[in-house]
Amino acid sequence: MTQDQITFLNRLAIRAGEEILKIYAEPFDVENKADGSPVTKADAAAEAIILAGLAEGFPQVPVVAEEAVEAGHLPAVGDRYFLVDPLDGTKEFLKKNGEFTVNIALIDKGQPVFGVVSAPALGEIFWGGSLEGVGDGAGQAFSGRIDGSDIADVRAITVRTPPAEGLSVLASRSHMSEETAELIGPLKVAEQLSVGSSLKLCWVAAGRADLYPRLAPTMQWDIAAGDAVVRAAGGAVVLAATHEDFVYRVPKGARKDDLRNPHFIAVGARELLPELTSAA
């Protein structure tokens, strides 16, 4: 992937976010998917922009996109494909708290080699990955401020060394599960933070938090772009049960349920992993 292609993907995420904000500013209807999760016309509008852009910029690369899969369209893919969540954090969108994101990730041989996460209502954007692909060692992560169709105040981001005073953990105080409490129990925790959508992964990547355990259902498109940013920033996303790196797969003949994630942990520093109680 070239720098021009990265710029193209970043601007594509920004364009999708602009369309979301138009709908966000007006009254809109809410429907429920088969699994009971909410969806609005903003999801479909953003996905249409992203799919059209990817078809133009990357015509040979298949795309697995949330709303298309919901409608029964899950393409056969090889080693290299896009994973798209056009509006992650629909509940945040409905609450009007701004903590929702646009997510575009490129997967290569099971790894997220590039991802962009745009938070249009907050005016923030994060991206990171490799210019070439798996194993080239060129990964970098960045954040910036959305300024029209451009990005201002660009800075490189990295995960942080765990502070001596204790960790910042992304886990809700009001919805702390027994599994999550057990997982982080051995750690010295200074604060528990809460933020919506894939911003949690971006906060780990940017050194705003040290740990994000997710011991509840998610889908591959929910986390792939943020995962790419975490890895490019020097962190890791691993399976909660084994601490092995998360691998993305779309099996032959897959359906939506085949893209559900096992429990996972995002960490800024791998040295935290031995201290974590294993959780399935």
Side-chain angles (χ1 to χ4, degrees), residues 259-279:
L259 303 185
R260 294 192 186 280
N261 296 330
H263 294 171
F264 66 86
I265 305 166
V267 292
R270 279 187 178 270
E271 56 262 35
L272 293 175
L273 292 174
E275 301 181 53
L276 293 170
T277 302
S278 180

Side-chain angles (χ1 to χ4, degrees), residues 48 58 69 87 102 104 121 124 168 218 229 240:
F58 300 84
V69 173
L87 202 173
V102 176
I104 304 172
E124 297 179 349
S168 295
T218 54
V229 178

Side-chain angles (χ1 to χ4, degrees), residues 180-265:
T180 302
E182 179 183 354
L183 184 75
I184 66 176
L187 303 175
K188 182 180 180 182
V189 176
E191 61 177 345
Q192 290 176 204
L193 307 172
S194 181
V195 67
S197 68
S198 56
L199 285 168
K200 292 184 281 292
L201 291 157
C202 295
W203 278 25
V204 171
R208 298 186 196 177
D210 303 290
L211 179 69
Y212 166 39
R214 180 69 181 202
L215 309 184
T218 54
M219 304 296 293
Q220 290 188 25
W221 50 68
D222 291 326
I223 71 167
D227 184 352
V229 178
V230 169
R231 297 189 196 203
V237 175
V238 302
L239 301 178
T242 63
H243 296 175
E244 296 174 323
D245 285 337
F246 195 102
V247 177
Y248 294 81
R249 296 187 179 93
V250 180
K252 186 177 180 180
R255 297 185 178 183
K256 177 182 175 180
D257 282 349
D258 296 310
L259 303 185
R260 294 192 186 280
N261 296 330
H263 294 171
F264 66 86
I265 305 166

Side-chain angles (χ1 to χ4, degrees), residues 11-219:
R11 288 180 173 170
L12 184 58
I14 291 171
R15 289 210 310 272
E18 289 171 345
E19 188 64 25
I20 289 171
L21 290 181
K22 291 178 185 177
I23 298 168
Y24 190 61
E26 302 172 351
F28 52 82
D29 294 327
V30 182
E31 299 179 0
N32 287 320
K33 299 182 183 181
D35 62 3
S37 60
V39 63
T40 74
K41 64 180 181 180
D43 299 73
E47 184 162 301
I49 288 171
I50 294 169
L51 291 180
L54 293 178
E56 173 191 344
F58 300 84
Q60 303 305 315
V61 183
V63 183
V64 176
E66 179 179 10
E67 302 311 320
V69 173
E70 185 69 26
H73 306 301
L74 204 171
V77 304
D79 286 339
R80 195 170 176 88
Y81 59 95
F82 284 102
L83 266 174
V84 171
D85 188 342
L87 202 173
D88 183 38
T90 301
K91 292 180 180 178
E92 279 66 41
F93 182 83
L94 298 179
K95 292 175 185 175
K96 298 279 189 174
N97 67 13
E99 296 176 357
F100 54 87
T101 57
V102 176
N103 299 266
I104 304 172
L106 179 63
I107 308 299
D108 193 358
K109 298 182 177 66
Q111 298 182 30
V113 295
F114 177 79
V116 53
V117 176
S118 167
L122 303 179
E124 297 179 349
I125 187 168
F126 303 83
W127 69 97
S130 164
L131 290 175
E132 298 299 330
V134 174
D136 76 343
Q140 289 183 290
F142 301 90
S143 70
R145 176 175 54 85
I146 298 171
D147 183 12
S149 60
D150 295 321
I151 302 173
D153 302 332
V154 174
R155 66 182 185 92
I157 57 173
T158 61
V159 299
R160 69 181 185 181
T161 301
E165 59 270 23
L167 304 177
S168 295
V169 178
L170 286 156
S172 170
R173 290 187 183 276
S174 58
H175 297 97
M176 173 68 73
S177 71
E178 184 177 336
E179 283 181 304
T180 302
E182 179 183 354
L183 184 75
I184 66 176
L187 303 175
K188 182 180 180 182
V189 176
E191 61 177 345
Q192 290 176 204
L193 307 172
S194 181
V195 67
S197 68
S198 56
L199 285 168
K200 292 184 281 292
L201 291 157
C202 295
W203 278 25
V204 171
R208 298 186 196 177
D210 303 290
L211 179 69
Y212 166 39
R214 180 69 181 202
L215 309 184
T218 54
M219 304 296 293

